[in-house]
Amino acid sequence: MPAARLLRALAALALVGACASAPTNAWTELSLPGPGPRLLRDAIACGEHWYVVGGRVGADGETSPAAWDSPDGRSWRSLTLTPLPGSYYGPRSVLYAVGCANGRIAAVGSRSGGAHGNPRTSTWYQRPDGSLTEAAAPFETYGGDTAVDVGRISGGRSGFLIAGNRTSGAAAWLSPDGTRFRLFENAPGLARAFARDGAVLDGRFLLVGSFGNAPAAWSSVDGSSWQRAEVPDEDGYDELQRVVRLGDQLIAVGPRGDTFGAWRGPDWTAVGRFGKPDATGVRSLTVSAGRLYAAAGGLWRSVDGGRSWVTVTTPRGASPLSAVAGHNGDVLLVAGDRVWLAHGV
């Protein structure tokens, strides 16, 4: 075994041993109103409220979109969702991703359909009363002959960014308020790339993912062209799957060879390693009171900007994790049709 690879393997073994335990607090299971069964997919803290999004399954087996909010993480209400008049897939969608911009959320949902059973994507924006309304979009905005996937949504002062992919490579959908998204495909810099997640920064947009087997990150001021940044690469498959802001830094997490790894940007450097990648990869990444939490084959925490990670014991039944969200030291877990809250874990 080459010396460099041997050192990485020894470091990974030492890290796994160091992550055998972590301080734990009691988790409180939360009750979401309304009928079930529920399909919970994502969560976020936005504008001093918590949000959980997903869907419901009716007695006839038909799905419908659903969302809930809470001012304190303990008392919850169901939000009203209004599909477009005449919409077929909107009323049957399950919301799988939610982002926050300027105190309001926007969500992405889908329902399989059509001759080939491809996902029919819809987006939803929040009105001042808290309700969500399906946004109008031509079919080709998310579908069409060049469609591949529509992924995560993120937000910031400049609005919302959806990361995804078309047959030409990575793609981005941008909107100042979530009411209408513009697709940027075939944009210079994104050919043959694959985008997993994104972030809306001050004055620019960020996509993260991979280029071949190498981790990659791109930035753009308006979505029309993108500049690729150098991200440290190692042997094996490396990919940035989730990214969050941590103060004035960026933290991205994804597979790094035979472990998960963290990278710190915007001048990208490789930092800590943890766990072992599986087919689901990194499902979610959040920040709460300066701590990083990653849902990746379990729940992991870093208190030093991604340099070291420990496992966090999760409540019984919280597997596999769908999402983790954080705010002011609180951590919200979503798994299956259940939600839990804890402070200071």
Side-chain angles (χ1 to χ4, degrees):
M1 178 182 292
R5 190 174 181 84
L6 176 60
L7 289 174
R8 287 198 300 273
L10 291 174
L13 288 173
L15 181 61
V16 170
C19 293
S21 63
T24 60
N25 286 26
W27 293 90
T28 299
E29 186 166 1
L30 309 175
S31 177
L32 301 181
R38 291 184 288 264
L39 306 170
L40 307 183
R41 296 292 183 261
D42 202 8
I44 198 170
C46 177
E48 301 303 320
H49 276 238
W50 295 96
Y51 294 89
V52 173
V53 301
R56 291 191 173 100
V57 182
D60 59 355
E62 191 64 84
T63 58
S64 60
W68 299 262
D69 81 331
S70 170
D72 57 9
R74 291 165 178 80
S75 58
W76 291 78
R77 65 167 180 165
S78 297
L79 298 182
T80 299
L81 282 88
T82 305
L84 287 168
S87 172
Y88 179 81
Y89 293 106
R92 295 166 171 80
S93 292
V94 174
L95 308 183
Y96 62 82
V98 60
C100 173
N102 302 311
R104 294 188 187 178
I105 63 167
V108 184
S110 69
R111 165 65 189 266
S112 297
H116 303 287
N118 294 325
R120 305 300 186 180
T121 300
S122 59
T123 60
W124 302 72
Y125 64 93
Q126 189 173 31
R127 292 188 176 276
D129 63 0
S131 65
L132 297 179
T133 298
E134 184 183 4
F139 173 72
E140 291 76 12
T141 300
Y142 305 110
D145 294 339
T146 62
V148 174
D149 65 28
V150 181
R152 308 298 303 174
I153 183 172
S154 54
R157 292 182 182 178
S158 301
F160 293 97
L161 161 69
I162 300 174
N165 300 279
R166 309 288 280 186
T167 54
S168 61
W173 291 260
L174 302 182
S175 173
D177 55 10
T179 61
R180 187 177 298 273
F181 281 85
R182 178 184 175 187
L183 167 63
F184 292 88
E185 62 178 328
N186 287 314
L190 296 183
R192 299 184 302 279
F194 194 83
R196 287 285 198 176
D197 198 6
V200 179
L201 310 175
D202 294 336
R204 62 193 176 100
F205 301 93
L206 177 82
L207 290 175
V208 299
S210 59
F211 188 84
N213 288 334
W218 306 263
S219 63
S220 174
V221 296
D222 59 6
S224 62
S225 65
W226 296 78
Q227 291 73 47
R228 182 180 170 188
E230 292 295 327
V231 181
D233 186 18
E234 296 183 3
D235 294 338
Y237 182 74
D238 295 0
E239 182 178 60
L240 309 185
Q241 293 185 334
R242 296 290 182 269
V243 63
V244 294
R245 296 186 69 166
L246 180 63
D248 60 355
Q249 297 179 330
L250 296 165
I251 304 294
V253 174
R256 187 190 299 161
D258 54 4
T259 68
F260 288 113
W263 290 261
R264 184 170 60 239
D267 298 324
W268 294 99
T269 59
V271 283
R273 308 172 73 104
F274 62 96
K276 185 176 179 61
D278 57 17
T280 60
V282 181
R283 299 299 300 272
S284 186
L285 180 66
T286 194
V287 176
S288 184
R291 299 181 174 191
L292 293 160
Y293 295 87
L299 184 62
W300 297 81
R301 184 192 71 217
S302 175
V303 300
D304 56 8
R307 289 186 291 274
S308 62
W309 296 80
V310 297
T311 56
V312 177
T313 301
T314 55
R316 186 182 300 273
S319 179
L321 293 177
S322 300
V324 57
H327 180 63
N328 286 344
D330 289 333
V331 179
L332 190 77
L333 284 185
V334 176
D337 63 350
R338 302 169 69 183
V339 183
W340 296 264
L341 183 71
H343 181 79
V345 293

